[in-house]
Amino acid sequence: MNWKFIILSVFLFTFYSSVHAQYFLDVKKSEYLEGDKERKSVYKKILQAIELGHKGEGMVNQAIPLLKEAYQLNPKNAELNYNLGVCYLISGPRNEALPYLKSAQKLNADISEDIHFLLGMAHQYRNDFDDAIVQFKINIELIRQNNYKDKKELIELSEKRIGECKNGKRLLNSKPDAEIELMKDVNSVYDEFNPVWAEKEFYFSSRRGGEKDSRSLEDHNFYEKIFGKDASGDINGISVNKSGKSNFALMSFSDYTPIIYFGGEGNGDVYFAKSLKDKWGKGKALKFINESNSRESSVCLCSNGNEIYFVSDRKGGFGSCDIYYCLKDESGKWSNPVNIGGDINTEFDEGDVFVTKDGRGLYFSSKGHNSIGGYDIFKCERKESGEWGLPRNLGYPINSTDNDITYFEDETGRFYFASERSGGVGGFDIYREKEIIEKIEEPDILVKQARIQKVPNELENEKMLVPVVAKTVVVPDIPTKQQSGVIEEIKMKEELVQEDFVYRVQIAACKREMGPTDLFERYKGGDVIEHLYVEGWHKYTIGGFPTFKEAAKYRDTCGVQDAFVVIFKGGYRLGIAKKTGGVK
C-alpha cells in the first residue's frame, strides 16, 4: 500500500495544534453488500465518513458515529478499525484510538506502512511511554529496511516522539505544584482556549459555531470568536464589526483597551480595539509589531507598559514561530522587534507568550525543549540582570502528552490554560488552578482562601487529572518449561526501550515444541539456538547482530532455506523486512 501521510501544522494566533491526518483506507465493498439491507445502507455511511474525513480536521468528528455504526455490524474489518483509530487521533478523544489500531494490525499485519507510527502515537497519548517507544523504533526500522521513500519524514517524527516519551517518563513522577480543574461552564464540544481576565469579565476564544457560520479553509473548523463571561455567569459572544471570514481573537489589554487579532488564512495582524456601536472593531494597528508578510500572534503587554512580547512566523527566526519583544524608550517610542534568543526559541514552534504582573515570570508554549508531547507550557524566571533564565517544563498536571497552551494568571496569581487532553468536554478545553478549601478552627466550617495558594504537601500525592497508566507486567500461569521464554520476551521489550535493536535470524516457528533431533535436521550449524514461546508459538532464533546487514548475511549462509531476519523476540509481528535469502 502507498497511502500518503499528511502533516498539517495549523497556527491560529493564540492556539496551535499539530494535526496528523491522512487519507482513510478503502473498506471492502463486498463485506457490506452481502446480507440484509441494513448492511448495504451502512456501507453508504462508510463512504460518507471517508468523504467527511478528507474535507478537513473540523469534519472528522462527524465521521466517527458513521464508522461506529458500521463497526457494530462488522467489528472484524481491518480497514474500518484503522479508519476509526485515525479519526480518534485527529479529533479525539485520542486515548480511544489504541484499541482500534491494535485490532486493525491484528486483523491485517500489513494494514499500512505507518501503522507502527500510529500505534506509537496512540500509546503515547495514554502515557504508555515504553510501548510507544517500541512502536516508534519499529516504525523507523521498517522504513529504513523496506525503503519506504514516501515515509522518510516519519523517521524524524518518530525520533522526536521517542524523545518526548523519554521526557514524559522523567516528568511523570515529579510532584505537582498545584491541582487543576476543568471549567465546565465555559467549555463546549468545540475548541476553547486563550483565557483572559479583565476587571470582573472573563474572556476566552472559541471555535464554536452554527450551521450558517463560516468555516476555515485551512482545517474546516469554525472561525475563532471571542466570548465573555460576566459576573452573573452569563456567556455572550463579542460582536465584531465586519469580521467576515476571519479569526477574531483577544490578545491582551492596555489600560483596559483590548489588543485584538484579525486574520484569516495566511497572515494576521494585531490592533487596539475600538468600540463601534456596541461592537468591537479594528482601531490603531500596532505597526511596530505587524509585518506584512507574516502572522503576529499571542501579544502580551507587560504591566509596566514598557515591554511587549509577541509571537511571529516572520523570516529569520529559529523555527517556524518564535517569540519576539519590543521595549519602549523614555520618549515613548517602541524599539524594533528583537528575537528573544536561542535559549528560549527552538527549531520547533513557540507560542502563547505571557508575562506575570510582577514581571518576574515569562510563560510560553513550545514543541521543543523537553516537551512530553505536542505543545507544553514552560516558564522562565527573570534574572537580576534583567535577562530571562532557561525554560523549565511545568510538568504534570499542567502539561500532558497532548497540546497544552495559552497560560494566563489573574490578579490573584491563579492560573488558567487550555489543553487538548482526553477527559474534557471536547477539543481544547480551559482548565484552571483548583481552589483549595481549608478548615478553620471552628469545626465543620469551610472557607475559601482569598488568594489561591499552591497545593500543600499533604495533597501533593493526590490523584492528578492527567490520566496516568501504571506499567505492570503480568506473567500468566504457564508451564515451567515455557516460563524462561516469557521472561526472555519481557527482557527483550525492555531492551527495545532502552537500547538499539538487536537482529536475529529466525530458523523456525511452530505450534509444537521442537526437540533436538528436529532442530538438528533443520539447522546443522554450531551456534546457540534460542527458544522463545510467544502467543502459542515456539520461535527459534540464532545470533544477536547489531545491524540488519550482518544478520542478513548470516541468514543467507546458515543453511536454512526459509530463514529470515527478525528485529526482536516479542509478540509484535513485523513481517519480513526483506525477501528471505536462500542457501548459498
Side-chain angles (χ1 to χ4, degrees):
M1 300 179 188
N2 186 21
W3 300 101
K4 188 176 180 182
F5 197 95
I6 303 172
I7 303 295
L8 298 176
S9 294
V10 182
F11 305 108
L12 297 176
F13 24 85
T14 53
F15 92 94
Y16 308 78
S17 64
S18 293
V19 179
H20 301 276
Q22 76 177 69
Y23 293 114
F24 294 122
L25 302 185
D26 291 330
V27 176
K28 292 181 181 178
K29 191 174 182 179
S30 59
E31 295 194 22
Y32 283 90
L33 294 186
E34 297 176 2
D36 53 34
K37 293 182 179 179
E38 186 180 4
R39 294 176 69 89
K40 296 179 181 179
S41 64
V42 163
Y43 182 73
K44 293 181 180 179
K45 293 183 179 181
I46 294 175
L47 297 179
Q48 183 183 352
I50 293 174
E51 183 179 354
L52 286 169
H54 288 160
K55 285 184 177 180
E57 176 208 354
M59 306 299 291
V60 171
N61 64 330
Q62 297 181 30
I64 291 178
L66 298 172
L67 295 177
K68 290 291 287 289
E69 189 171 342
Y71 180 84
Q72 295 299 320
L73 282 177
N74 184 10
K76 299 298 183 181
N77 182 281
E79 290 75 17
L80 183 64
N81 277 276
Y82 178 93
N83 291 344
L84 271 168
V86 169
C87 282
Y88 280 116
L89 285 180
I90 295 171
S91 68
R94 291 180 172 136
N95 64 344
E96 294 187 21
L98 183 61
Y100 296 105
L101 292 173
K102 289 178 71 174
S103 293
Q105 190 205 20
K106 187 175 182 180
L107 292 164
N108 179 4
D110 301 317
I111 185 69
S112 73
E113 295 168 357
D114 54 20
I115 184 63
H116 291 287
F117 180 79
L118 300 179
L119 282 167
M121 290 172 60
H123 278 294
Q124 185 180 359
Y125 287 128
R126 289 190 168 207
N127 292 348
D128 300 334
F129 296 122
D130 285 349
D131 289 335
I133 290 172
V134 169
Q135 293 296 335
F136 290 132
K137 283 192 172 184
I138 293 171
N139 174 71
I140 292 171
E141 291 300 312
L142 291 182
I143 291 174
R144 286 174 175 167
Q145 292 173 20
N146 292 289
N147 196 25
Y148 296 150
K149 293 182 179 179
D150 61 337
K151 295 291 185 293
K152 294 292 185 182
E153 75 276 8
L154 291 187
I155 293 179
E156 186 176 347
L157 288 170
S158 294
E159 290 172 344
K160 173 70 166 62
R161 285 187 171 268
I162 288 172
E164 292 173 351
C165 290
K166 291 179 178 179
N167 294 333
K169 290 178 68 175
R170 287 191 291 268
L171 292 171
L172 182 66
N173 297 321
S174 60
K175 294 182 179 180
D177 292 328
E179 288 185 307
I180 61 174
E181 62 183 4
L182 184 69
M183 292 187 68
K184 295 181 180 179
D185 54 343
V186 301
N187 291 310
S188 71
V189 295
Y190 301 99
D191 291 324
E192 277 77 38
F193 43 91
N194 195 34
V196 177
W197 272 100
E199 291 287 286
K200 296 181 180 180
E201 189 91 2
F202 178 74
Y203 296 93
F204 63 96
S205 295
S206 177
R207 302 194 76 182
R208 63 187 71 179
E211 186 175 339
K212 295 182 179 180
D213 290 329
S214 299
R215 291 177 179 265
S216 166
L217 298 178
E218 287 183 328
D219 59 10
H220 223 71
N221 280 312
F222 291 113
Y223 284 106
E224 180 179 359
K225 307 176 188 67
I226 300 175
F227 291 81
K229 176 186 173 186
D230 57 29
S232 64
D234 294 332
I235 295 177
N236 300 292
I238 304 299
S239 298
V240 185
N241 185 50
K242 297 180 181 180
S243 62
K245 294 183 178 181
S246 62
N247 295 291
F248 177 52
L250 173 63
M251 300 282 98
S252 183
F253 277 86
S254 173
D255 293 330
Y256 307 111
T257 299
I259 298 176
I260 58 175
Y261 168 96
F262 269 103
E265 280 71 32
N267 299 332
D269 291 318
V270 290
Y271 305 81
F272 289 108
K274 65 179 180 179
S275 179
L276 299 170
K277 296 181 180 180
D278 297 326
K279 294 183 178 181
W280 285 12
K282 289 192 293 187
K284 184 179 179 181
L286 279 70
K287 293 182 179 180
F288 62 97
I289 288 179
N290 295 331
E291 190 176 80
S292 59
N293 295 320
S294 63
R295 171 179 285 162
E296 283 61 56
S297 60
S298 187
V299 177
C300 181
L301 180 65
C302 296
S303 58
N304 62 17
N306 297 323
E307 296 175 83
I308 192 166
Y309 292 81
F310 65 97
V311 176
S312 176
D313 63 356
R314 63 190 60 195
K315 294 180 180 180
F318 292 87
S320 295
C321 289
D322 276 11
I323 299 172
Y324 296 80
Y325 68 91
C326 296
L327 302 177
K328 184 187 289 186
D329 62 22
E330 294 180 355
S331 65
K333 182 180 179 180
W334 287 99
S335 69
N336 292 326
V338 178
N339 191 297
I340 203 169
D343 286 341
I344 295 177
N345 290 320
T346 68
E347 62 182 301
F348 303 100
D349 297 316
E350 279 68 48
D352 312 319
V353 63
F354 173 81
V355 179
T356 56
K357 183 180 179 181
D358 61 8
R360 305 299 300 175
L362 181 144
Y363 293 84
F364 65 98
S365 299
S366 176
K367 285 186 175 181
H369 302 293
N370 60 332
S371 166
I372 61 178
Y375 284 92
D376 278 7
I377 299 173
F378 294 83
K379 179 184 180 181
C380 297
E381 294 182 353
R382 198 188 292 268
K383 301 178 181 178
E384 292 299 323
S385 63
E387 297 178 344
W388 294 107
L390 296 177
R392 174 178 65 86
N393 190 309
L394 295 186
Y396 290 96
I398 293 176
N399 288 321
S400 68
T401 53
D402 225 309
N403 292 304
D404 307 289
I405 59 173
T406 59
Y407 182 95
F408 179 85
E409 287 184 7
D410 64 17
E411 291 290 323
T412 70
R414 187 181 194 181
F415 65 77
Y416 300 74
F417 68 100
S419 178
E420 210 176 8
R421 70 191 66 187
S422 301
V425 180
F428 278 100
D429 291 304
I430 296 175
Y431 294 79
R432 65 185 174 191
E433 186 175 12
K434 191 174 183 179
E435 287 185 320
I436 305 302
I437 301 175
E438 294 182 341
K439 288 186 178 182
I440 58 176
E441 294 182 0
E442 294 81 353
D444 301 325
I445 297 179
L446 298 179
V447 293
K448 287 185 178 180
Q449 292 177 308
R451 187 196 180 284
I452 306 301
Q453 295 182 352
K454 300 301 180 184
V455 180
N457 291 334
E458 63 268 18
L459 295 178
E460 285 185 343
N461 295 320
E462 289 294 314
K463 184 177 179 181
M464 296 181 291
L465 183 63
V466 179
V468 177
V469 181
K471 297 300 299 173
T472 304
V473 178
V474 180
V475 179
D477 186 12
I478 55 177
T480 303
K481 67 179 182 179
Q482 297 175 3
Q483 286 184 5
S484 61
V486 175
I487 293 172
E488 182 66 23
E489 176 189 354
I490 294 170
K491 287 175 62 179
M492 194 62 210
K493 286 185 179 181
E494 292 176 352
E495 177 185 340
L496 273 172
V497 174
Q498 302 298 336
E499 305 295 340
D500 291 331
F501 283 86
V502 173
Y503 299 88
R504 292 178 168 83
V505 175
Q506 184 165 309
I507 61 170
C510 53
K511 290 286 187 180
R512 178 183 61 84
E513 185 175 357
M514 298 177 70
T517 302
D518 295 329
L519 287 171
F520 182 75
E521 288 181 0
R522 186 160 185 81
Y523 172 70
K524 296 180 173 58
D527 290 295
V528 175
I529 300 174
E530 295 187 10
H531 173 209
L532 176 66
Y533 184 81
V534 181
E535 296 182 349
W537 286 87
H538 297 272
K539 299 183 179 182
Y540 300 88
T541 60
I542 302 170
F545 303 94
T547 67
F548 177 83
K549 185 177 181 179
E550 293 175 80
K553 182 178 180 181
Y554 185 89
R555 171 201 65 193
D556 295 340
T557 58
C558 70
V560 179
Q561 181 71 28
D562 55 355
F564 60 89
V565 176
V566 291
I567 299 177
F568 69 99
K569 298 188 302 181
Y572 301 97
R573 183 192 183 282
L574 305 183
I576 299 174
K578 291 185 181 291
K579 292 183 179 179
T580 50
V583 179
K584 292 186 178 180

